[in-house]
Amino acid sequence: MAIIGVLILSMLSFCESALDEDDKEYLEDFYKDLDGADSWSTQWNFESNELENLELNEDGKVTRVDLTNVGLTGIVPDEINKLSKLEVLNISLNEIKELPDFGSNPLLKSCQCII
């Protein structure tokens, strides 16, 4: 049982460190534009790749962002569309003022934004 726990922890660490560099850059812009450091209840640490509420595929590309009710404020930047494998974006229950045109992201299957 302990071996399984160690394997799971190793996999989680691998996922955290495997974040694609381009996606990391786009997420940093997203974080800054939506006042992440000052207003989010979930903090992202880009130096250590500690980014909660994300799912990555095997290539380290972001496939899901779930930031429901974490204190997002402002305008969602167009950079979110540069997450080329993003399928699900949930930014409900935040203070979002404006959304980008998601038409340029053909993989986005679900965008939930209840303001």
Side-chain angles (χ1 to χ4, degrees):
M1 202 65 151
I3 294 173
I4 292 172
V6 170
L7 286 174
I8 290 172
L9 286 175
S10 297
M11 287 173 56
L12 290 174
S13 296
F14 174 75
C15 289
E16 287 178 1
S17 63
L19 178 62
D20 177 83
E21 286 300 315
D22 288 334
D23 279 9
K24 182 177 179 178
E25 181 180 321
Y26 306 142
L27 289 171
E28 285 181 289
D29 291 340
F30 179 80
Y31 186 72
K32 289 174 188 170
D33 288 350
L34 292 173
D35 203 24
D38 295 324
S39 69
W40 293 18
S41 59
T42 295
Q43 296 295 306
W44 285 353
N45 184 334
F46 290 96
E47 290 180 17
S48 65
N49 280 343
E50 292 178 21
L51 308 175
E52 297 177 17
N53 306 54
L54 300 177
E55 287 182 21
L56 309 177
N57 67 12
E58 61 278 355
D59 297 323
K61 302 294 268 179
V62 176
T63 58
R64 180 184 184 94
V65 177
D66 186 352
L67 294 170
T68 304
N69 197 26
V70 298
L72 305 179
T73 58
I75 298 171
V76 176
D78 289 329
E79 283 78 18
I80 197 73
N81 282 316
K82 292 180 181 178
L83 297 173
S84 62
K85 300 298 180 184
L86 184 64
E87 297 177 3
V88 177
L89 173 64
N90 189 343
I91 51 176
S92 300
L93 305 174
N94 288 288
E95 295 181 34
I96 301 298
K97 294 177 177 55
E98 187 177 325
L99 296 170
D101 176 12
F102 290 110
S104 65
N105 191 338
L107 291 180
L108 191 61
K109 298 174 187 170
S110 174
C111 177
Q112 299 174 5
C113 184
I114 301 168
I115 302 173

